[in-house]
Amino acid sequence: MSQSKNKEPSSIKGTRDILPPESRKWQKAERFLQRIFESYGYKEIRTPVFESTELFEKGTGETSDVVIKEMYTFADKGGRSLTLRPEYTPSIVRSIIENRLYLKPDLMRFYFIGPMFRYDKPQKGRYRQFHQADIEVFGEKDPEVDAEIVEMAYTLLKKLGVKNIKILINSVGCRKCRPEYHKKLKTEAEKQRARLCEDCRRKIDTNPLRIFDCKKDTCRNAALGFPKITDFLCAECQSHFEKFRSLLDFYGLKYSVDPQLVRGLDYYTKTTFEITSSKLGAQDAVLGGGRYDEMMKDFGGPDICGIGFAMGMERLLSVMPDIDEPEKFLYIVHIGEEAKKVSMKLAQYFRENGVECVLEYKDRKLKKQMSRADKLKAAWSLVVGEEEIEKNKYQLKDMRTGDQKEVTKEEALKRMIG
RNA sequence: GUGAGCGUAGCUCAACUGGUUAGAGCACCGGACUGUGGAUUCGGAGGUUGGGGGUUCGAAGCCCCUCGCUCACCCCA
């Protein structure tokens, strides 16, 4: 399995480099999200990129597609089975239990932005290494949090200028009411077996809820008569869902109830939601999440409920309008060896005082250096030559207006900062 | 994992039905211009046509394999 000698190295399928002009956009989005999250009381939590495989099998769920076919699992040299995290929630839950965070008086509101890994076939808006911004709240069982989270998600997308967004919500019930619904749905689907396509027939046993997703007309028509989860909720889930909806109204948010909104992770209870943008293509969810009241307990921790969402950064970025801010740096043009030295000192001075400052050390002609400053879109250029060194005054040029002034370094600084 | 479409210079694309040494624009580097950018002009560099095999006198174009990209299914952010 040796590679041919002269083959260029390349990135792994489903991964990609985020290069300079784009990386700026990422930084901006990340900073923006941090600000918003923190304004709602969330604090950053960082956990390792890999965990024991078992954590995801138990947390994400052994019957979920993510666990069955999408995990990057490997054995380390000690023979432990490890997995690159495919999602974040189980890691946070693990950390809360392990660090006994529930015994502290602090809010249990956490956010995180970082890479996730899923062995999926790449396509639009889907990568093997992708990034999520994730928020989770623990210990708040009332629907007020559900609504606040959706409100936050909607608000931040709006503020980022994302257009054509839609809020979809549903309730998937709890361990009391869902099994009954499941049984009912199965029997109904079984009755319609003859009308369903091959895929859907298989789904009757594996995941009958997914029949709702089928695009074939016959299946759609057959599914029309199927029972809806929302008609089977127990009293508690029913009232939670109703309160949740009325609170969304209270926030003035438009949403649609989508009884087919079944998220692919096994752990959800009660509220699930998704925000979509029609600009994304087939993978139109910018973010998705829901409530998972049993996970902590299932992990052997205290009986503390949780709710949160994950937002796809790649998807977010692709529907965010670019706001290209002009560059704000100084390009120092130097002529001759002595000037180069003086320029280096000047650069030090400007940088110390908070001005982004660039100089290229090649011995290029003045004209060439000016041309470089222009190409790099410098906001200012500063010419340093023999005359300037003698006078201790330099030619500062505003590259946008073309205005040029002879100034001391202090004056130059003032002009650039002020 | 399944299916479809596409791979020619850094980018966007040419190359008549298989026919000499694979071209152009933009971008890059340099000169014209010896202390002032964006314009013009001249030149330079840049390719094993994704890779491998086959058919042919001859392949960027046809056939097979492979890799990658794109889109869709499954599923998800």
Side-chain angles (χ1 to χ4, degrees):
Chain A
M1 287 285 278
S2 68
Q3 290 203 333
S4 66
K5 289 157 209 137
N6 293 322
K7 193 171 179 189
E8 278 184 19
S10 62
S11 60
I12 300 304
K13 180 178 183 148
T15 71
R16 63 190 203 100
D17 301 319
I18 298 165
L19 304 171
E22 200 197 346
S23 53
R24 271 260 162 111
K25 200 177 170 187
W26 277 76
Q27 292 175 328
K28 232 180 270 170
E30 285 164 3
R31 278 198 286 264
F32 177 87
L33 292 176
Q34 286 171 359
R35 266 212 320 281
I36 295 275
F37 294 157
E38 286 178 8
S39 77
Y40 283 77
Y42 292 84
K43 300 266 198 281
E44 189 181 24
I45 182 169
R46 301 189 190 194
T47 67
V49 285
F50 52 78
E51 300 271 1
S52 78
T53 301
E54 197 192 353
L55 182 77
F56 299 111
E57 287 171 349
K58 277 174 80 175
T60 309
E62 275 168 315
T63 62
S64 68
D65 273 33
V66 170
V67 170
I68 293 170
K69 54 183 199 188
E70 295 173 3
M71 294 210 296
Y72 273 97
T73 296
F74 59 96
D76 73 3
K77 295 191 181 189
R80 288 170 274 259
S81 178
L82 305 179
T83 294
L84 299 179
R85 59 178 179 221
E87 62 145 347
Y88 207 54
T89 311
S91 297
I92 300 185
V93 172
R94 190 223 79 225
S95 178
I96 289 171
I97 296 170
E98 187 170 344
N99 296 296
R100 304 287 186 270
L101 297 184
Y102 49 86
L103 295 179
K104 292 186 174 177
D106 307 338
L107 288 178
M108 284 198 284
R109 290 182 168 225
F110 305 102
Y111 77 87
F112 167 82
I113 302 173
M116 303 291 160
F117 308 85
R118 289 185 201 171
Y119 193 85
D120 234 343
K121 188 142 175 176
Q123 66 188 65
K124 189 182 182 69
R126 197 161 67 193
Y127 309 93
R128 288 185 175 178
Q129 175 175 337
F130 61 103
H131 299 77
Q132 286 186 337
D134 197 279
I135 64 102
E136 312 286 346
V137 179
F138 296 90
E140 295 270 14
K141 63 177 176 15
D142 295 332
E144 280 82 359
V145 209
D146 306 39
E148 187 199 83
I149 285 174
V150 173
E151 185 273 332
M152 176 174 77
Y154 182 82
T155 302
L156 72 86
L157 291 175
K158 263 278 177 273
K159 282 192 178 165
L160 283 169
V162 180
K163 302 264 187 274
N164 305 318
I165 52 183
K166 258 183 160 165
I167 301 173
L168 302 176
I169 62 163
N170 192 23
S171 173
V172 295
C174 63
R175 287 183 181 173
K176 277 184 292 197
C177 48
R178 191 160 37 181
E180 199 195 326
Y181 168 68
H182 233 261
K183 224 163 66 189
K184 193 88 181 173
L185 179 60
K186 231 171 179 168
T187 40
E188 287 303 312
E190 198 60 60
K191 286 182 197 163
Q192 300 291 328
R193 180 176 277 275
R195 293 173 68 192
L196 298 173
C197 70
E198 199 186 323
D199 269 354
C200 288
R201 282 179 198 171
R202 213 184 45 238
K203 291 178 193 167
I204 294 174
D205 294 315
T206 56
N207 195 344
L209 288 163
R210 286 274 163 218
I211 298 172
F212 288 118
D213 288 345
C214 190
K215 303 211 160 66
K216 297 193 180 68
D217 284 341
T218 48
C219 298
R220 291 202 120 160
N221 291 332
L224 286 177
F226 289 178
K228 291 177 177 169
I229 174 76
T230 39
D231 295 331
F232 280 76
L233 299 177
C234 63
E236 191 193 329
C237 290
Q238 183 69 41
S239 121
H240 187 96
F241 192 48
E242 271 164 21
K243 276 186 200 150
F244 172 51
R245 292 174 57 174
S246 77
L247 287 162
L248 292 181
D249 294 334
F250 170 76
Y251 278 120
L253 298 174
K254 292 217 166 61
Y255 60 88
S256 30
V257 177
D258 181 359
Q260 305 166 20
L261 180 68
V262 198
R263 319 222 69 257
L265 308 171
D266 292 350
Y267 50 66
Y268 286 115
T269 55
K270 293 184 177 144
T271 309
T272 59
F273 59 92
E274 221 171 81
I275 297 186
T276 62
S277 166
S278 54
K279 293 190 168 176
L280 284 171
Q283 271 66 47
D284 65 352
V286 186
L287 65 87
R291 184 168 271 285
Y292 45 95
D293 290 346
E294 318 283 348
M295 193 192 292
M296 188 93 67
K297 199 173 51 190
D298 288 347
F299 274 174
D303 187 1
I304 293 175
C305 62
I307 177 170
F309 69 72
M311 177 161 56
M313 292 299 288
E314 282 80 1
R315 292 183 189 179
L316 172 68
L317 275 274
S318 78
V319 292
M320 238 175 77
D322 328 274
I323 341 129
D324 41 2
E325 271 170 32
E327 296 281 353
K328 270 171 48 185
F329 69 91
L330 167 69
Y331 187 102
I332 300 185
V333 172
H334 51 86
I335 308 150
E337 274 311 302
E338 196 193 349
K340 196 190 276 184
K341 288 273 167 55
V342 174
S343 298
M344 288 159 73
K345 279 283 184 209
L346 284 170
Q348 220 176 10
Y349 170 75
F350 290 126
R351 288 166 182 155
E352 265 169 20
N353 287 285
V355 174
E356 194 181 326
C357 184
V358 164
L359 63 161
E360 292 184 290
Y361 298 105
K362 304 181 183 72
D363 294 318
R364 293 204 250 221
K365 294 178 191 170
L366 171 74
K367 196 176 178 97
K368 211 66 206 180
Q369 293 187 63
M370 288 302 290
S371 170
R372 289 287 299 159
D374 180 50
K375 252 168 219 155
L376 298 175
K377 300 199 172 68
W380 303 276
S381 64
L382 187 80
V383 176
V384 182
E386 277 179 37
E387 296 168 29
E388 285 81 1
I389 294 170
E390 214 163 288
K391 286 197 263 186
N392 251 317
K393 284 191 163 186
Y394 315 92
Q395 302 293 335
L396 179 72
K397 187 171 190 173
D398 182 315
M399 295 299 283
R400 301 201 220 294
T401 64
D403 294 340
Q404 185 167 304
K405 284 256 158 55
E406 187 176 78
V407 294
T408 62
K409 65 177 180 185
E410 290 82 6
E411 288 165 345
L413 180 68
K414 221 172 179 179
R415 281 175 175 273
M416 291 188 284
I417 288 182

